[in-house]
Amino acid sequence: MSLTLYFHPLSGFCQKVLVALYENETRFTPHLVNFGDATERADFLKLWPIGKFPLLRDESNGRLVPETSLIIEYLALHYPGPMALLPENPVAALEVRRLDRIFDLYVAIPMQKVVLDRLRPEGSNDPVGVAEAKATLACAYDVLEAEIGERQWALGDAFSLADCSAAPALFYAERALSFRDNHPRLWAYFERLRTRPSYARALAEAEPYFEYFPRNPGDAGLSR
């Protein structure tokens, strides 16, 4: 099989690419990378010294493609399927990319800051950084609540790259700073996302690893 995806099911950014692959039923070889295993980590770093996943390897084109949005656009160019996740119209495509960036940069990234702080050794936490990250999340929720409004998906009736970004970003962000009770339209949108078959599949594959997700004190854990 030409395509190999190096990933871990628990990673939200990996789930973003999995959603795109599942939407178009694109054939690929999944290669799970466990960074906790020294050998697996070393092997991956030989392939991609930056050390970030997901990473797509295309044997037929001799290409390594990093970064989620680039991977999804690469798939659209070289392995198109029935679901066009990026519109052909350049103006519409720019709008999809804009919302994709909002979900990645202002939801997923600050969420990681909050969550990873829970893994720091006692006494080395960063309360200022966490407060800043939560403020960014709160602002992003307000922006998205107003912008998405009553739309079915991020930009309207068509599921897109932006929705691939939104699903895992919002799933984990809810565990960093809840938006369930004070952003009803954003929550309704998220409910549609997590029952979308492509994301439901990615989420089910991540579920065995939920025990490794750092929780808030008093949390019962992750649930679907």
Side-chain angles (χ1 to χ4, degrees), residues 2-4 56-65 74 78-79:
S2 174
L3 298 174
T4 300
L56 184 74
R57 185 173 194 166
D58 184 355
E59 294 287 353
S60 65
N61 289 332
R63 297 292 299 273
L64 287 173
V65 187
Y74 181 87
H78 297 282
Y79 298 89

Side-chain angles (χ1 to χ4, degrees), residues 28-67:
F28 72 101
T29 299
H31 187 114
L32 192 151
V33 180
N34 176 13
F35 276 180
D37 183 287
T39 301
E40 289 189 29
R41 182 179 181 87
D43 288 344
F44 184 75
L45 289 173
K46 289 177 186 176
L47 187 66
W48 181 233
I50 298 296
K52 299 288 187 180
F53 51 39
L55 179 72
L56 184 74
R57 185 173 194 166
D58 184 355
E59 294 287 353
S60 65
N61 289 332
R63 297 292 299 273
L64 287 173
V65 187
E67 302 302 327

Side-chain angles (χ1 to χ4, degrees), residues 108-181:
I109 295 297
M111 172 276 296
Q112 287 183 336
K113 173 66 178 177
V114 176
V115 169
L116 292 176
D117 192 75
R118 298 172 190 165
L119 295 173
R120 288 174 177 262
E122 187 175 353
S124 63
N125 297 98
D126 179 13
V128 174
V130 168
E132 290 174 347
K134 287 186 174 182
T136 299
L137 278 173
C139 183
Y141 293 163
D142 290 344
V143 169
L144 292 165
E145 174 80 4
E147 177 152 351
I148 293 174
E150 303 300 328
R151 296 173 187 163
Q152 175 73 9
W153 304 115
L155 269 299
D157 294 332
F159 193 88
S160 72
L161 165 65
D163 301 293
C164 296
S165 306
L170 291 173
F171 178 81
Y172 287 118
E174 167 65 15
R175 278 78 188 168
L177 180 69
S178 180
F179 58 92
R180 181 193 302 248
D181 296 328

Side-chain angles (χ1 to χ4, degrees), residues 68-112:
T68 55
S69 300
L70 295 180
I71 291 172
I72 294 172
E73 292 211 33
Y74 181 87
L75 291 169
L77 285 172
H78 297 282
Y79 298 89
M83 177 67 68
L85 297 174
L86 198 67
E88 290 186 11
N89 181 290
V91 175
L94 184 61
E95 283 298 288
V96 168
R97 291 187 181 100
R98 180 180 63 83
L99 269 182
D100 169 65
R101 296 293 78 221
I102 289 175
F103 281 114
D104 276 2
L105 297 176
Y106 307 124
V107 179
I109 295 297
M111 172 276 296
Q112 287 183 336

